[in-house]
Amino acid sequence: MSRKSKASASAATGSSTGGREQNREQYYAELERLQMGALWTVYRTVLTREPQRREVPYLWPWEMVRPQLLRAGEMVSTDEAERRVLMFLNPGNPARIGATATLYAAAQLILPGESARAHRHSPAALRFIIEGSGAFTCVEGEKVRMSPGDLILTPSMVWHDHGNDQDQAVMWLDGLDIPLMASFNCMFLEEFTSEVQQESMPPSRSEKLYGRGLFPSGSTPEPKGPYSPVWAYRWTQAREALECLAKSGDPDEFDGHLIRYANPASGGEILPTMGCRVQLIPKGMHCRARRQTASSVYHVAEGSGYSVLDGVRFDWKKGDTFAVPVWCWQEHAAETTDAVLFSLTDHPLLAPLGLVRSQPYPENNGFQAVRSVFGEQPG
Ligand code: GTQ
Ligand code: FE2
């Protein structure tokens, strides 16, 4: 007889045990009033053997997102909105802010002639340009121009405003560590003294001074935070690196050809809370499945393919964004074309805490069985 059934059997027969149960209930109620609680009543729900499912794998197709974003463009100005942004909300995220438990993701639109005012905040941000060219983010007085596929960083407490002085709508993916900052309850936001920053630095300064293996020396101030001193990572360079990597050897069985965006000054991650990766999955490659403690948001930069996430098939193509929560089985595949996936991950945060774990899928030769297809009715 298990401990549980033994306990309930004696509770049913002995009135003395019944009395004890009643005492317990009173006792727990009293503890509650005293702002205490008995750990043994919740132990197994708090210290679970493995991460429990809360956030779910989810996908936001660009062909759904784009028209909604353009509608927002007709409805609200950047003045009114602070930022014209549609958030990607994971159906399982209780705070209704995250795409995963730690990562916020969203799509932002800035129309010709608009600006989004200068501010800084404790959450760190990164942007991956989806569509349009010529808008800019002014980061600490430096104008950083946007082109599709570029990655732009605005680390924690760094001044930034966005502007569009060209003639096309520009749209990008925002990635921030908002859920994390919210759980620390460490949220700070400040407005700049003027609507937008003066351009006080030469254009592309951060790329020229820190992005090319030629660092300023002498009295020039050192980069100041635990983040990359380079504000922009250009798509042309990332794509070239991928191409070169693909010609250099075999793809990784889980990730295809994988590149990590690095802080050139340290070789480490670009931000302490969020890292970025870009991977090329060659046409016809089906990567093996695994699960990880790091959670990620993927954005399809090129081509098409599909991922199997906890047994559900998610078909994706250029512009789509999908969330892979903690400990979710994941595998990626490209069928008719090469696919390039950009992603952000909370891996940099987990690593120094000793929390990085990864498990290859143990059955079925390393591939999941597909139970259903995302977006289709089951059965
Ligand atoms: O562009 O500065 O998606 O401050 C959320 C908060 C974007 C931004 C977001 C922000 C920004
Ligand atoms: Fe911001």
Side-chain angles (χ1 to χ4, degrees), residues 74-325:
E74 292 163 9
M75 254 185 306
V76 294
S77 66
T78 47
D79 273 347
E80 184 191 345
E82 181 95 19
R83 296 294 189 261
R84 190 191 290 109
V85 163
L86 295 181
M87 303 182 287
F88 296 151
L89 300 180
N90 194 296
N93 181 246
R96 301 300 288 155
I97 193 72
T100 74
T102 53
L103 301 169
Y104 158 107
Q108 184 163 170
L109 165 67
I110 188 158
L111 293 167
E114 286 185 331
S115 60
R117 68 175 151 272
H119 68 198
R120 64 178 184 179
H121 37 68
S122 49
L126 56 86
R127 320 167 192 293
F128 185 83
I129 314 310
I130 303 174
E131 197 182 302
S133 280
F136 61 86
T137 300
C138 188
V139 190
E140 298 277 309
E142 176 184 327
K143 258 189 189 179
V144 182
R145 290 279 163 190
M146 301 175 178
S147 288
D150 290 350
L151 172 68
I152 297 179
L153 306 183
T154 59
S156 179
M157 296 317 283
V158 158
W159 294 112
H160 57 282
D161 56 82
H162 311 298
N164 187 342
D165 51 11
Q166 305 294 309
D167 55 4
Q168 310 168 17
V170 178
M171 293 173 242
W172 64 81
L173 175 77
D174 276 325
L176 286 90
D177 54 10
I178 289 177
L180 199 67
M181 291 303 123
S183 73
F184 293 156
N185 196 12
C186 190
M187 201 60 83
F188 293 95
L189 167 71
E190 292 170 43
E191 271 98 39
F192 196 59
T193 47
S194 52
E195 278 291 299
V196 296
Q197 299 170 76
Q198 287 290 337
E199 191 179 352
S200 61
M201 291 291 174
S204 306
R205 172 184 186 271
S206 69
E207 289 161 80
K208 287 176 180 163
L209 291 191
Y210 298 102
R212 299 178 178 179
L214 295 160
F215 292 178
S217 202
S219 61
T220 309
E222 289 292 308
K224 57 181 181 183
Y227 46 76
S228 172
V230 183
W231 305 142
Y233 292 73
R234 300 297 172 188
W235 183 245
T236 45
Q237 297 188 3
R239 196 65 187 80
E240 214 172 67
L242 274 179
E243 202 63 47
C244 178
L245 181 64
K247 286 181 183 144
S248 312
D250 292 333
D252 178 85
E253 57 178 353
F254 296 104
D255 282 315
H257 300 286
L258 181 72
I259 292 233
R260 179 172 64 87
Y261 290 78
N263 173 344
S266 68
E269 301 276 2
I270 49 171
L271 296 166
T273 52
M274 292 185 290
C276 289
R277 312 281 185 265
V278 64
Q279 67 203 84
L280 172 73
I281 303 172
K283 174 179 170 174
M285 180 176 181
H286 190 140
C287 303
R288 281 180 191 284
R290 72 163 162 216
R291 57 183 178 183
Q292 298 178 301
T293 47
S295 67
S296 306
V297 173
Y298 285 85
H299 179 82
V300 186
E302 240 181 69
S304 62
Y306 69 95
S307 300
V308 184
L309 306 172
D310 273 348
V312 181
R313 176 175 164 139
F314 290 73
D315 290 279
W316 38 252
K317 56 179 186 287
K318 185 174 158 63
D320 295 353
T321 302
F322 59 97
V324 180

Side-chain angles (χ1 to χ4, degrees), residues 1-18:
M1 195 182 265
S2 76
R3 265 189 295 168
K4 206 181 204 164
S5 54
K6 207 193 259 166
S8 55
S10 61
T13 52
S15 58
S16 67
T17 342

